[in-house]
Amino acid sequence: MARCCADSGVKVMLIPSLYDIADDNPLWGRLAEVDSPALLLSDLHPRPAKLLLARHELADRFTVVNIADYGTVEEVCAEVKKRCVVGESAASVADLRVETPPRWYPMLDDERCINCGHCLQFCLFGVYEHDAQGQVVVIHPEKCKPGCPACSRICPQGAIIFPHYRKDAAIAGAPGLYMQPDAAARRMYYTRTKIACPVCGQLAQPGNSAGDCCPECGGPVKAATVIATEPDELDDLIDDLEKFSRKEL
C-alpha cells in the first residue's frame, strides 16, 4: 500500500498504530513536523484516531481514513490520489516504525463523558483516577486487563472506547454508534452514582426489592396516592342504601 501511494508521487511515512504509541514516544514530535494538511491511513476508526491526535494537539493537521472501509489496496491508493497532492515523480517511503508492543487501555471521549465517575467506581484495577480538576481520566493505562472491555459496557454515555475490540463496533468507536448498557448495567449505574432514576425519579437501592420494581433502576415503585374527591350522586345512593340496610337489621 505504501509503495502504491509512493509510486503516484505521494510522500509516505510509515508509523506504528497510533493506539500503540506511548505518550512520551518521540514519534509524536515527528508527526508534528509533517506538512499540514496530511492524510492519515489508520487501522482505527476516525473517532479514536482523532482523540489520540487531539491529545497531542495534532487533530487539525490530519484527515483520518480508516483503511478497513476499503476492500483492496488499489481502492485505498485511489482515495489517496484523490485527496493528496501528487508529485511528478515517485516519492520515497520513510519508514519510522519502531518496536511498539501491542497495548490495551480505555480511551475517554470528552464529547460524550459526563464525568459521572461510574467507570472509576466500577474498575477494580486502578485504571481511572480524578485529576486536579476533578475530571475522571485514564491515569494508569498499563493496569487495564488485555481484552477486557467491561467498563465500556457499563458506561451510560458510550464514552469509553477500546479501538481494537473487534466484537462490537460501538466499543471500538465506530462512527454514530453508542454502546447501550443492558438493564443490569443501568441499575448498577444508578446505585453506584446515586443519580436519580429518570423513569421513577427515585434513588436506586442495592439488592432486590420486594413487590413492584421500576424497570429502569429496579427500585421499589411507590403505591399510587389516593386523592379524596367530592362525593358524587352515586356515592349518595350507596350511602342511602347502607343506611336502609342497617334499619332493616
Side-chain angles (χ1 to χ4, degrees):
M1 185 183 302
R3 177 51 57 188
C4 176
C5 294
D7 287 345
S8 300
V10 176
K11 294 182 179 180
V12 178
M13 177 186 294
L14 291 175
I15 62 171
S17 172
L18 291 182
Y19 183 67
D20 293 334
I21 304 176
D23 286 340
D24 59 354
N25 194 309
L27 275 175
W28 292 109
R30 293 295 301 271
L31 290 177
E33 299 171 356
V34 174
D35 294 335
S36 180
L39 198 64
L40 177 68
L41 303 183
S42 177
D43 61 338
L44 310 178
H45 290 294
R47 184 169 149 237
K50 290 176 181 177
L51 287 173
L52 289 164
L53 291 170
R55 185 185 300 174
H56 297 273
E57 301 182 353
L58 299 173
D60 295 336
R61 287 181 168 271
F62 294 91
T63 298
V64 178
V65 173
N66 184 1
I67 58 177
D69 293 338
Y70 300 85
T72 65
V73 170
E74 289 72 24
E75 290 178 2
V76 177
C77 292
E79 185 68 20
V80 170
K81 293 177 186 177
K82 184 169 61 177
R83 296 192 185 211
C84 296
V85 177
V86 179
E88 295 181 356
S89 59
S92 61
V93 177
D95 192 346
L96 300 182
R97 289 175 296 179
V98 294
E99 185 176 354
T100 52
R103 304 179 70 199
W104 181 271
Y105 58 92
M107 297 176 57
L108 290 178
D109 187 340
D110 294 338
E111 293 185 358
R112 294 187 180 183
C113 178
I114 60 173
N115 203 35
C116 66
H118 189 33
C119 55
L120 187 153
Q121 296 178 25
F122 176 81
C123 179
L124 300 176
F125 310 114
V127 174
Y128 301 95
E129 286 186 13
H130 284 115
D131 63 12
Q133 290 72 42
Q135 184 72 32
V136 174
V137 294
V138 178
I139 195 70
H140 295 295
E142 74 284 353
K143 292 184 177 181
C144 191
K145 299 305 177 183
C148 174
C151 59
S152 181
R153 294 190 183 282
I154 56 91
C155 177
Q157 302 297 318
I160 302 177
I161 304 172
F162 286 90
H164 287 166
Y165 190 71
R166 305 304 181 191
K167 296 181 181 180
D168 192 320
I171 292 178
L177 296 182
Y178 280 77
M179 180 61 209
Q180 298 295 326
D182 59 20
R186 296 198 305 274
R187 293 176 181 181
M188 183 192 303
Y189 167 71
Y190 300 123
T191 301
R192 285 178 176 270
T193 61
K194 307 302 181 184
I195 293 176
C197 171
V199 174
C200 70
Q202 301 179 84
L203 294 178
Q205 301 177 12
N208 296 323
S209 301
D212 294 332
C213 297
C214 172
E216 178 68 12
C217 71
V221 176
K222 295 180 179 179
T225 302
V226 178
I227 302 176
T229 58
E230 291 296 326
D232 56 17
E233 185 176 351
L234 180 60
D235 291 331
D236 293 337
L237 291 174
I238 293 175
D239 289 341
D240 291 342
L241 180 60
E242 289 178 345
K243 292 177 182 177
F244 179 78
S245 298
R246 285 197 294 271
K247 288 180 180 179
E248 290 293 318
L249 293 173

